[in-house]
Amino acid sequence: MPTVDHFHKYPPFPADVPVADLRCLSFTKLLADEESESERLFQSCREIGFFVVDLRGISEGEAMLKHAEIAFDLNKKIFGLDQEELNKHAFQPNESLFGYKHAGSGKLEDGSPDALEWYNLAQDDILGTSAPRKHPQVVEDSREAFQDFFYHAHGIICHLLAHLDKHLGLRRNTLASFSPQDKPSGSSLRLLKNSPQRIGSHRTNLVGHTDIGSMTMLFNVLGGLQILPAGAENVDANWRYIKPELGCAIINLGDAMVQWSGGVLRSNMHRVATAPGKQAGCTRYSVAYFVRPAHTVLMRRIAGGDVIPDPEDGEEDEDICAQDWEKIRGAQIVRGENKPKSMGGRMPKTRKLQASR
Ligand SMILES: O=C(O)CCC(=O)C(=O)O
Ligand SMILES: [Fe+2]
């Protein structure tokens, strides 16, 4: 995450662990619509589904970093509450995924319990699009701070989506219009915590998965987040850490983007392992904003244009709305019917791709 202060509280990310080769994009250049930066964004979204965006040096980005910092502080406060208090707000898996998730309530690939805790806040609840849910007092007292986070983060995401509109041959605002903040959706802010681990442990704390929604903005201070590079088999030796960078957010695309782009954009497998080196011994906090489509948005590919490919023989686009699609996908994952895997990265229809990095 953000500040020098937070980064320097922890042991450094070790230099000798395998890291993913992600592009670091300048938010300033993206805002100024610099063509080569925009191209790098598109390439990242097709090839990896992940990139890093440097938010420093421009007021909108700096303001986001401040909000992320506040979210980190609130994350620590929430997890400073008694277990009994957190349990009162436990999420009900069959009803809703909002509220507190205790460590061990999810499963790893081998069926053993996971280790991450989180507190998941619904955007609808915080922005007043739905009836408010009841939270611990520290959350109730911070509703305004969370609102600021949601508004700012959404603004930044919309700028990033506008670049994708352009590269996919869509009218400006097409992708952003799928996730308006004044319509009910599954968008959320997740505050995650991972308790200290044994140094040298390689345990997985959150199982490999892709995100369901459209775009995720993630703030990390400690390492631990890993991605499985394109084409690599899902074995431990192939996973790569994403090194947290000062003043930057990690952005990744979710399955909804693959769906709308007819497979051109990529949603990549990622997981949370124990932080590398001495970082393992520290409590790891992270902050993630998950953008999901409004419940009524259709999940079929966006037809027409000369970039998004037409369905191939045997491929069918269903007219299913986001809310039903998310429910079905969630249930399939829980039943183990739909083993998570990276998706997308298909060649666009006609577009000439630049070779720059
Ligand atoms: O904590 C992190 O770095 C990533 C968490 C994540 O991937 C998720 O909650 O979907
Ligand atoms: Fe994720």
Side-chain angles (χ1 to χ4, degrees):
M1 186 283 298
T3 64
V4 177
D5 213 33
H6 272 82
F7 259 73
H8 293 180
K9 267 189 206 148
Y10 297 99
F13 186 91
D16 59 352
V17 294
V19 292
D21 186 18
L22 301 190
R23 293 178 183 87
C24 181
L25 309 179
S26 152
F27 187 56
T28 308
K29 288 185 185 173
L30 290 171
L31 267 189
D33 243 334
E34 277 194 25
E35 195 45 47
S36 61
E37 207 66 353
S38 183
E39 192 62 42
R40 292 173 76 225
L41 179 145
F42 186 48
Q43 278 179 311
S44 299
C45 293
R46 288 194 309 107
E47 295 167 1
I48 320 180
F50 267 84
F51 60 90
V52 171
V53 63
D54 189 342
L55 296 167
R56 291 170 297 182
I58 188 155
S59 57
E60 208 174 330
E62 297 281 353
M64 187 66 241
L65 293 171
K66 282 268 167 294
H67 294 303
E69 209 166 289
I70 293 167
F72 263 76
D73 292 338
L74 288 168
N75 189 350
K76 285 186 191 170
K77 275 199 190 153
I78 292 170
F79 285 104
L81 296 171
D82 290 345
Q83 191 64 45
E84 206 185 316
E85 174 64 12
L86 287 171
N87 289 344
K88 282 188 206 155
H89 303 276
F91 77 101
Q92 311 296 327
N94 294 328
E95 231 175 78
S96 123
L97 293 177
F98 301 118
Y100 172 64
K101 173 201 173 295
H102 67 80
S105 62
K107 297 256 176 298
L108 300 177
E109 268 160 25
D110 62 3
S112 63
D114 68 3
L116 236 67
E117 293 171 80
W118 68 57
Y119 201 94
N120 212 7
L121 286 168
Q123 174 174 275
D124 292 350
D125 166 7
I126 299 299
L127 299 188
T129 317
S130 66
R133 303 171 64 90
K134 187 85 194 82
H135 299 288
Q137 199 54 43
V138 52
V139 175
E140 295 296 345
D141 291 345
S142 309
R143 279 187 175 266
E144 228 172 278
F146 287 123
Q147 281 169 8
D148 286 345
F149 184 102
F150 275 114
Y151 287 133
H152 263 85
H154 186 263
I156 302 235
I157 296 270
C158 288
H159 287 303
L160 303 177
L161 291 176
H163 284 277
L164 291 176
D165 285 338
K166 181 179 65 184
H167 294 290
L168 292 172
L170 305 173
R171 236 179 292 127
R172 195 179 165 89
N173 204 36
T174 301
L175 292 169
S177 73
F178 292 165
S179 303
Q181 283 191 304
D182 57 356
K183 297 251 170 64
S185 75
S187 296
S188 68
L189 170 60
R190 182 177 291 175
L191 306 170
L192 303 104
K193 181 198 160 195
N194 199 183
S195 295
Q197 314 277 310
R198 184 177 49 78
I199 293 179
S201 149
H202 291 291
R203 91 160 267 168
T204 305
N205 301 298
L206 179 65
V207 71
H209 64 280
T210 57
D211 291 344
I212 283 184
S214 45
M215 210 177 242
T216 303
M217 179 187 284
L218 183 61
F219 293 95
N220 281 181
V221 178
L222 293 180
L225 176 66
Q226 294 182 321
I227 64 167
L228 189 63
E233 198 192 331
N234 186 355
V235 292
D236 277 341
N238 286 339
W239 287 82
R240 297 282 174 267
Y241 286 102
I242 294 185
K243 181 174 182 255
E245 300 287 353
L246 194 67
C248 297
I250 298 160
I251 306 288
N252 68 287
L253 306 189
D255 303 344
M257 291 295 233
V258 182
Q259 195 82 0
W260 293 322
S261 68
V264 169
L265 300 177
R266 184 172 170 89
S267 160
N268 203 92
M269 279 284 276
H270 55 286
R271 68 182 189 182
V272 181
T274 298
K278 291 197 178 127
Q279 292 193 344
C282 308
T283 304
R284 177 184 188 273
Y285 296 97
S286 60
V287 168
Y289 174 43
F290 297 97
V291 180
R292 290 205 185 177
H295 288 327
T296 52
V297 166
L298 292 182
M299 297 311 297
R300 57 166 42 243
R301 90 183 58 210
I302 307 167
D306 58 3
V307 181
I308 296 178
D310 302 318
E312 282 175 4
D313 285 349
E315 249 187 346
E316 258 183 61
D317 282 340
E318 305 162 86
D319 269 335
I320 186 167
C321 72
Q323 190 172 31
D324 293 343
W325 184 75
E326 288 167 14
K327 261 194 212 142
I328 292 170
R329 286 189 66 80
Q332 283 171 336
I333 290 170
V334 169
R335 288 198 299 263
E337 285 169 12
N338 206 347
K339 235 176 148 237
K341 58 175 186 317
S342 298
M343 290 186 293
R346 193 168 176 182
M347 279 308 278
K349 220 196 240 170
T350 53
R351 192 175 181 277
K352 281 205 189 69
L353 297 167
Q354 290 183 8
S356 68
R357 249 196 80 85

